[in-house]
Structures are given as structure tokens and as C-alpha cells.
Amino acid sequence: MTPTDGAVLPPPAGTAAETAPRLRLGLADYLTLGNALCGFLAVWALATAQSAHAASGAGGPLPHAAMATVVGLMLVAAALDVLDGRVARKLGGSGMGAELDNLADVVSFGFAPAFFFVVWGMRAEGLEPLAVVAGGAVLLAVIVRLARFSCQAPGADYFTGLPCPFGAMAVVTVVLLDPPPLAGVAAVLLISWLMVSRMEYPKPRGRKAYAVLGVLAVGVALMAAWGLGVPAGQTLIYLMSAAVLGFIVTIPFYVLATRRPTRAER
């Protein structure tokens, strides 16, 4: 007789029936859904702008207002990604929170920046296949990174590999800096590798999280100024892009330098 052949008894008190995760959406989950919605709207805004640009017969990059809208939506998605975790820790989250977060991140920090880069790469003759390869690398790196993160034990002070929101912002900065096409492809492939690498990035907790939110707010303001044609807006965008790329490249070395003395003391 198999276990299922016997009578089904009601579960005793204190078993899985009482401890099952809550599957109703909480406030943190709505922030996560807002993250996914911003990623979708960024793709929609980019596709609409690209279609209008092509229909008008205009050459060159997309208008600043269109690009500022797309990047601004991605920055808002990144801010919501920081907020949902803090809200979940303070108010509690649902049993779906982690899964929703991963799915939203694939949209906002995987597909959206990958599509953004492909659209940029289509401007250069003969580069579209390479741009598609680099954009696909971004999307796959985000998926692999999120899957690996789900399998890691919670509570670590560091992310293994470049976090997806920072990876997405790095891809965006490559497009905004508008480098030579092959250099842009190489940079995006490097960013994809960083996301699945073993390099460590500190988690933005406590004051660090508020600092990240402040930086994202400044980024949204700069993009709005750039899109509206404010004088020196282009210079500010270049400075912001250089700062983002500098952060991404130097932080792992800073982590290694600060952890070595600690390990030596042990």
C-alpha cells in the first residue's frame, strides 16, 4: 500500500497548513510590479520613438526627449527595485515576493536595456548582427545571474557578480556615450560578463540604499534636463555616464582591497 492509499487526515496544528507563505500581494509586491511596468513602458516608448524616427526619414540618433524618456523609466524601475526590498523587510512580504522580483528584473534590467542597445546598434551599417549578439548576451546574463542569486544562501553582505540594475544602467551609459560601434559592442559584452562573474559588489543596505536612491533621483533629473534641452545638459550626461562606468569598474577592486586586511587579521 502506498502512502496515498491510506485515509487523508487533517494536518495537525502548527504544520505546513498554518505556515504556508502568504500569497496575497503586499505593498512591496506592488512596487515590484511597478518596476516591471516601467520596464515595459521603456520598451514601448523606445519602439514608438524608433518607428516615428524611421518613418520621418531622419538619420542619426533618436531625439534627446525620446531617449531621456526611456532611460528615465529604467531609472525609476531601478529605484522601485531598491524600495521593494526595504518595504518587504520593514512591513513583510508575500510568498511570491522573490519570484515577482526576479521576473520584473528580467523585463526592466534584461530585455529593456538589451533592446535599447540593439536599437542603437542598428544605426551603424553591418553592425546589427553584432548588436543583437551583445543584446542577447545582456538578456541571458541577467537570467543566469538571477537564477544563481535565487540559489544562494540569504544574508550575505555582497552580491556575486554585477547586480542587474547596475548592469542595465551600464548598458544605458554605453548608448548615451555613443562610442564607436565595435567599442560599444565590446563594452556591453564586458558588462554581460561582469554580471555572471565572481566579482563582489556590496549590497546597498541602510544609508547606502538611501544614497543609491538619491543617485537615481539625480539621474532622473539629469535625464529630464537633457531631454528638455537645458544648456550643458549633454556635458552633465557625459559626467554621469563616466561616473557610473567608473563605479562599476572600481568597486570590485575596492572590495578586494578592503577585505584582504580583514582576512589577514583572521
Side-chain angles (χ1 to χ4, degrees):
M1 184 170 105
T2 64
T4 55
D5 291 333
V8 178
L9 300 177
T15 60
E18 293 183 0
T19 60
R22 182 169 63 90
L23 297 182
R24 290 182 180 180
L25 293 175
L27 178 58
D29 300 319
Y30 285 110
L31 294 174
T32 302
L33 293 176
N35 166 11
L37 182 60
C38 285
F40 165 75
L41 290 176
V43 173
W44 168 77
L46 182 58
T48 302
Q50 176 66 12
S51 298
H53 194 62
S56 67
L62 293 176
H64 286 179
M67 294 184 69
T69 300
V70 173
V71 178
L73 285 166
M74 290 192 204
L75 290 170
V76 173
L80 291 173
D81 186 56
V82 174
L83 283 172
D84 65 4
R86 295 193 62 79
V87 170
R89 283 189 289 272
K90 287 183 177 295
L91 304 179
S94 72
M96 300 183 291
E99 298 299 330
L100 286 175
D101 193 60
N102 283 347
L103 293 171
D105 286 355
V106 169
V107 175
S108 297
F109 311 128
F111 183 73
F115 186 59
F116 192 44
F117 183 77
V118 170
V119 169
W120 173 80
M122 289 171 61
R123 293 193 297 115
E125 186 177 354
L127 186 70
E128 184 174 351
L130 289 176
V132 171
V133 169
V138 171
L139 177 61
L140 294 179
V142 168
I143 293 173
V144 170
R145 196 203 174 288
L146 291 171
R148 186 176 68 186
F149 178 74
S150 298
C151 297
Q152 291 176 334
D157 293 329
Y158 295 89
F159 290 114
T160 302
L162 178 65
C164 300
F166 290 117
M169 292 306 106
V171 174
V172 166
T173 59
V174 170
V175 175
L176 293 177
L177 290 172
D178 196 20
L182 291 178
V185 169
V188 168
L189 289 175
L190 175 61
I191 292 165
S192 302
W193 174 79
L194 284 173
M195 283 194 280
V196 295
S197 70
R198 306 301 298 178
M199 291 191 175
E200 295 180 338
Y201 289 81
K203 290 185 177 181
R205 291 176 174 171
R207 294 182 179 178
K208 292 179 182 178
Y210 291 113
V212 170
L213 288 173
V215 170
L216 292 172
V218 171
V220 172
L222 289 177
M223 292 310 304
W226 182 60
L228 293 172
V230 173
Q234 189 73 34
T235 302
L236 292 174
I237 291 300
Y238 283 146
L239 291 175
M240 181 188 75
S241 300
V244 170
L245 293 178
F247 168 83
I248 289 169
V249 171
T250 58
I251 283 296
F253 296 102
Y254 168 78
V255 171
L256 287 174
T258 55
R259 294 186 72 181
R260 280 176 181 172
T262 304
R263 289 175 179 172
E265 291 174 1
R266 292 179 182 175

